[in-house]
């Protein structure tokens, strides 16, 4: 009996111990979570769920762990359980939608995003409504990026590759070949270091390829950017001093930007930039073409979202200006980072706030003629995937470079992908009037292939411009047309065009239809005279003033002749003289009001020889019918 009682007491004690242990486990899990040790935190939350302790809370935290670890498959699995909970905060609808997007379940993602919106959640309405159209477009667009195999990846995180003087610099947590490894709690991988290897080297990149000098520390270092002269390197690193990490008020070591100088083949003299702060991160350095501006990402106060892209001017004395936020065309309420500026001044960056295929996507900016950023464009597949895509860089040739991704099929966690680019080719130009060189809006543009098949149609914009994407290695004919103009065309080829070329220019010139009464077509009436008179009537002056304006302003090269007429009443000789008087009166009015006499080839009278109707001698006609014959007409002789 005593033995049985003893066993029961032991069981009770074990059960009580397990019960009392659970609050301690949750506290430990939360501590790990708040310290960004998501791998370890996830294991403890799983244990809490298994023991049915505060299960709803633990499931939410576990889903968030996987979201932070950029594992959308696992995140979606647990967020699915979370959104089924009673009275769950609607923010989890949004998180679930994002995770579904990361596993290519785009339809379900839109449904949960709609539910988030219907429940009162705030979304970017414009982006939300464009989402379905975007998805159709991004998968059907002609590809201009193609992937190449690279040998520098490991089973750990590798990203941020740049080329400089025949070498590839990148950040990696591999630390392979080192006996003692320090591990980063967020993802349980070694801390990042900067590595360098020859571009075409086939050697395995290990710890012997770490950058020589003082850039690599015992904490996170990289990625980097190097000035054009090769003497200065900017890089990201945990905020630290000679005593160790520098933490913010929450105990977190933020990332800062440092610079180093190349001396005797070693990167040394490491300096912390003045733009840094221990209270927020400043990271992902990038330089513009002439190295006068430093771009970076930061979660400093006053931004639009989680992290924004900023820049500072680098002054001639080496000091830095005040940080400038790039604005809400680039930055969103979510996170933007890893900026890069190519030789044409185009900004590339990663974001999970703009329309994308999954988690982080890579975008390029669109600028106007003043250099102002007006829009951003998703680079599409294969650069972007349903996973994280970031750290896009481009070599000086504009046709090759690198980006990083944790997509399926890679060797490790984040992998570096090398790409080569075939720019989209387009034919563009302007349609202008041959006489006054003014642009012609709304003129029709038709593009034909070598067999005469029409393959594209558009109309010119308000400034007479058109732009049509075309294929390489083909022959084309482009035709511009518009009423009252003679068609113009150009034949051109995209064969043997350099791969770096992206534009073929084909301007088109339309001549107004010649040797016709163009003035009548432009609602300019023939002028008329009173019976037996040659003076210019008031109604005729209005029409002549229109002609003067047309010749002086619209068609400054146009040349005309004047033809005047009479009705049939009176003798033939008298009517010849009267028509000459009418022609002279018209001519004098035009030149006295600014028309160069050389632009009127002749002013001639034809008497009654060219009647417009049947009102000949002896015919019974009303005066209104005779009036139609007492006229002066204007004939276009030359348009250009």
């Amino acid at each position: 009996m005593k033995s049985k009682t003893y066993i029961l007491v032991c069981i009770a004690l074990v059960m009580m111990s397990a019960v009392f242990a659970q609050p301690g486990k949750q506290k430990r899990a939360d501590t790990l979570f708040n310290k960004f040790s998501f791998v370890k935190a996830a294991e403890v939350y799983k244990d809490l769920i298994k023991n049915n302790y505060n299960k709803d809370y633990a499931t939410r935290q576990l889903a968030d762990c996987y979201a932070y670890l950029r594992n959308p498959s696992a995140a979606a699995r647990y967020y699915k359980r979370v959104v089924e909970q009673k009275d769950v905060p609607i923010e989890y609808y949004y998180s679930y939608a994002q995770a579904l997007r990361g596993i290519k379940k785009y339809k379900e993602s839109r449904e949960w995003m709609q539910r988030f919106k219907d429940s009162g959640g705030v979304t970017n309405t414009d982006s939300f409504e464009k989402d379905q159209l975007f998805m159709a477009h991004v998968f059907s667009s002609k590809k201009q990026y193609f992937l190449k195999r690279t040998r520098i990846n490991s089973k750990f995180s590798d990203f941020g590759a740049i080329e400089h003087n025949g070498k590839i610099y990148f950040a990696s947590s591999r630390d392979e070949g080192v006996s003692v490894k320090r591990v980063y709690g967020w993802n349980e991988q070694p801390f990042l270091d900067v590595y360098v290897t020859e571009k075409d080297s086939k050697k395995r990149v290990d710890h012997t390829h770490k950058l020589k000098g003082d850039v690599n520390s015992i904490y996170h270092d990289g990625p980097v950017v190097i000035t054009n002269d090769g003497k200065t390197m900017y890089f990201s690193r945990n905020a630290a001093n000679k005593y160790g990490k520098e933490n913010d008020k929450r105990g977190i070591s933020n990332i800062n930007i440092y610079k180093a100088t190349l001396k005797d083949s070693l990167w040394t003299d490491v300096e912390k930039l003045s733009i840094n702060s221990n209270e927020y991160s400043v990271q992902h350095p990038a330089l513009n073409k002439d190295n006068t501006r430093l771009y970076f990402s930061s979660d400093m106060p006053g931004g639009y979202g989680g992290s924004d892209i900023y820049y500072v001017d680098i002054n001639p004395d080496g000091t830095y200006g005040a940080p400038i936020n790039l604005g809400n065309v680039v930055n969103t309420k979510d996170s933007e980072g890893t900026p890069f500026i190519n030789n044409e001044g185009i900004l590339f960056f990663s974001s999970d706030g703009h329309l994308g295929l999954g988690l982080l996507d890579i975008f390029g900016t669109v600028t106007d003629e003043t250099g102002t950023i007006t829009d951003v464009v998703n680079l599409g597949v294969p650069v972007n995937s349903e996973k994280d895509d970031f750290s896009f860089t481009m070599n000086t040739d504009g046709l090759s470079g690198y980006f990083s991704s944790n997509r399926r099929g890679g060797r490790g966690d984040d992998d570096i992908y090398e790409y080569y680019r075939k720019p989209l080719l387009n034919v563009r130009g302007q349609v202008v009037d041959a006489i006054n060189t003014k642009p012609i809006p709304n003129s029709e543009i038709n593009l034909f292939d070598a067999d005469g098949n029409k393959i594209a149609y558009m109309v010119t914009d308000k400034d007479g411009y058109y732009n049509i994407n075309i294929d390489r290695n083909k022959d084309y004919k482009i035709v511009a047309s518009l009423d009252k103009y003679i068609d113009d065309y150009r034949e051109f080829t995209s064969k043997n065009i350099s791969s770096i070329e992206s534009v073929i220019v084909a301007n088109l010139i339309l001549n107004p239809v010649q040797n016709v009464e163009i003035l009548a077509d432009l609602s300019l009436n023939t002028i008329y005279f009173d019976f037996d008179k040659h003076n210019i009537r008031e109604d005729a002056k209005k029409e002549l003033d229109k002609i003067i304006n047309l010749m002086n302003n619209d068609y400054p090269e146009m040349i005309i002749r004047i033809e005047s007429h009479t009705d049939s009443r009176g003798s033939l000789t008298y009517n010849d003289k009267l028509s000459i008087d009418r022609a002279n009166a018209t001519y004098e009015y035009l030149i006295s009001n600014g028309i160069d006499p050389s632009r009127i080839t002749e002013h001639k009278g034809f008497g009654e020889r060219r009647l417009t109707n049947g009102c000949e001698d002896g015919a019974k006609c009303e005066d209104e019918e005779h009036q139609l014959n007492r006229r002066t007409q204007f004939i276009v002789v030359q348009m250009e």
Side-chain angles (χ1 to χ4, degrees), residues 142-373:
K142 188 182 295 293
K143 293 181 181 179
Q144 59 173 314
Y145 294 92
F146 301 86
L147 304 187
K148 295 172 63 176
R149 185 179 178 183
T150 180
R151 298 175 177 270
I152 60 178
N153 289 311
S154 69
K155 63 182 181 180
F156 295 97
S157 181
D158 306 291
F159 68 96
I162 63 165
E163 272 189 36
H164 188 85
N165 289 343
K167 295 181 179 180
I168 304 173
Y169 298 77
F170 64 98
S172 176
S173 61
R174 64 189 62 196
D175 227 12
E176 294 172 307
V178 177
S179 58
V180 178
K181 296 182 175 66
R182 301 185 71 256
V183 176
Y184 178 42
W186 183 301
N187 56 11
E188 293 297 297
Q189 290 194 19
F191 281 86
L192 294 168
D193 279 320
V194 179
Y195 290 75
V196 59
T197 183
E198 297 293 330
K199 175 173 170 52
D200 297 320
S201 173
K202 295 182 180 179
K203 292 182 179 179
R204 180 168 171 262
V205 181
D206 58 18
H207 68 283
T208 63
H209 289 78
K210 284 186 179 182
L211 188 71
K212 301 298 188 294
D214 301 324
V215 168
N216 288 322
S217 68
I218 61 173
Y219 303 116
H220 280 313
D221 303 289
V224 308
V225 64
I226 302 173
T227 54
N228 296 337
D229 61 12
K231 296 179 180 179
T232 302
M233 172 183 288
Y234 293 90
F235 63 98
S236 298
R237 173 191 280 182
N238 278 108
N241 55 35
K242 63 181 180 180
Y243 303 108
K245 283 186 181 179
E246 296 178 305
N247 296 330
D248 63 13
K249 295 174 182 177
R250 300 168 296 169
I252 298 171
S253 175
N254 289 298
I255 304 296
N256 283 176
I257 295 177
Y258 294 73
K259 74 173 181 178
T261 303
L262 186 64
K263 291 184 176 180
D264 299 325
S265 300
L266 297 177
W267 290 100
T268 185
D269 292 346
V270 173
E271 299 177 27
K272 190 174 183 178
L273 300 195
S274 60
I275 60 176
N276 292 313
S277 171
N278 290 341
E279 298 305 315
Y280 50 80
S281 285
V282 177
Q283 58 185 331
H284 306 152
L287 291 166
N288 65 343
K289 183 178 179 180
D290 61 4
N291 299 169
T292 59
R293 183 169 286 179
L294 178 71
Y295 290 77
F296 58 91
S297 62
S298 176
D299 59 351
M300 68 175 64
Y304 291 91
S307 62
D308 286 0
I309 295 177
Y310 295 79
Y311 71 84
V312 292
D313 289 322
I314 303 175
N315 300 318
D317 62 359
T319 58
Y320 303 92
I324 304 295
N325 189 297
L326 278 184
N328 61 3
V329 175
V330 169
N331 295 312
T332 69
K333 68 179 182 64
D334 295 305
S335 295
E336 282 71 43
T338 61
F340 176 81
I341 312 295
N342 72 359
N343 281 352
E344 285 70 48
I346 301 301
L347 166 69
F348 296 88
F349 65 99
S350 60
S351 171
D352 57 6
H354 293 283
L355 279 178
L357 296 177
L359 303 179
L360 288 172
D361 270 19
I362 297 168
F363 298 82
T365 54
V366 178
T367 58
D368 61 18
E369 60 276 4
T370 67
T372 302
I373 297 173

Side-chain angles (χ1 to χ4, degrees), residues 29-69:
D30 290 345
T31 299
L32 290 167
F33 185 93
N34 292 330
K35 288 184 175 181
F36 306 111
S37 294
F38 297 118
V39 172
K40 290 179 178 177
E43 293 303 315
V44 183
Y45 286 127
K46 282 182 184 178
D47 193 52
L48 290 170
I49 294 170
K50 180 180 178 181
N51 289 293
N52 203 28
Y53 181 82
N54 210 355
K55 188 174 181 180
D56 285 355
Y57 172 79
T59 304
R60 296 178 193 179
Q61 292 292 99
L62 181 58
D64 287 342
C65 281
Y66 284 121
Y68 283 120
L69 288 168

Side-chain angles (χ1 to χ4, degrees), residues 360-543:
L360 288 172
D361 270 19
I362 297 168
F363 298 82
T365 54
V366 178
T367 58
D368 61 18
E369 60 276 4
T370 67
T372 302
I373 297 173
T374 58
D375 202 359
V376 300
V377 177
N378 188 297
L379 295 195
V381 293
V383 171
N384 289 318
S385 68
E386 76 277 13
K387 294 294 186 70
D388 283 322
D389 308 291
F390 59 102
S391 289
F392 180 94
T393 63
M394 185 177 288
N395 298 326
T396 54
D397 62 8
L399 298 173
S400 61
Y402 305 88
F403 67 91
S404 302
S405 178
N406 64 350
R407 66 187 63 184
R408 293 180 182 178
R411 184 178 178 189
D413 184 0
D414 298 316
D415 283 327
I416 295 168
Y417 290 81
E418 186 174 1
Y419 70 85
Y420 65 94
R421 174 173 169 256
K422 290 183 179 179
L424 290 176
L425 186 63
N426 63 69
V427 57
R428 66 179 63 170
Q430 187 181 35
V431 181
V432 299
D433 189 299
I435 304 307
N436 57 20
T437 68
K438 289 185 176 180
I440 303 178
N442 302 315
S443 54
E444 296 181 3
I445 301 295
N446 287 285
L447 183 67
F448 299 88
D449 63 18
D451 297 322
N453 300 309
K454 185 165 75 172
I455 57 177
Y457 164 84
M458 70 175 300
V459 295
T460 55
D461 65 16
K462 63 182 179 63
D463 297 313
Y465 287 103
Y466 72 90
N467 190 332
I468 302 174
N469 287 336
I470 59 175
D471 292 324
R472 294 177 183 271
N473 299 312
K474 291 188 177 181
D475 296 319
Y476 295 96
K477 177 181 179 180
I478 194 160
V479 181
S481 57
L482 189 64
D483 289 344
K484 304 183 183 68
Y485 286 91
I486 300 171
D487 291 356
D488 189 25
Y489 71 91
R490 295 285 184 276
E491 292 180 343
F492 65 94
T493 183
S494 61
K495 295 177 180 177
N496 301 317
I497 297 290
S498 167
S499 61
I500 198 171
E501 296 295 330
S502 59
V503 176
I504 294 176
V505 177
N507 294 320
L508 298 158
I509 302 172
L510 296 184
N511 275 287
V513 178
Q514 298 188 31
N515 300 320
V516 297
E517 296 177 10
I518 188 172
L519 303 184
D521 289 337
L522 296 173
S523 300
L524 292 170
N525 297 321
T526 299
I527 67 170
Y528 297 95
F529 295 85
D530 291 334
F531 177 69
D532 200 24
K533 302 289 185 181
H534 65 267
N535 59 292
I536 305 298
R537 300 186 330 200
E538 290 301 315
D539 61 333
K541 288 181 181 179
K542 293 179 180 179
E543 299 305 320

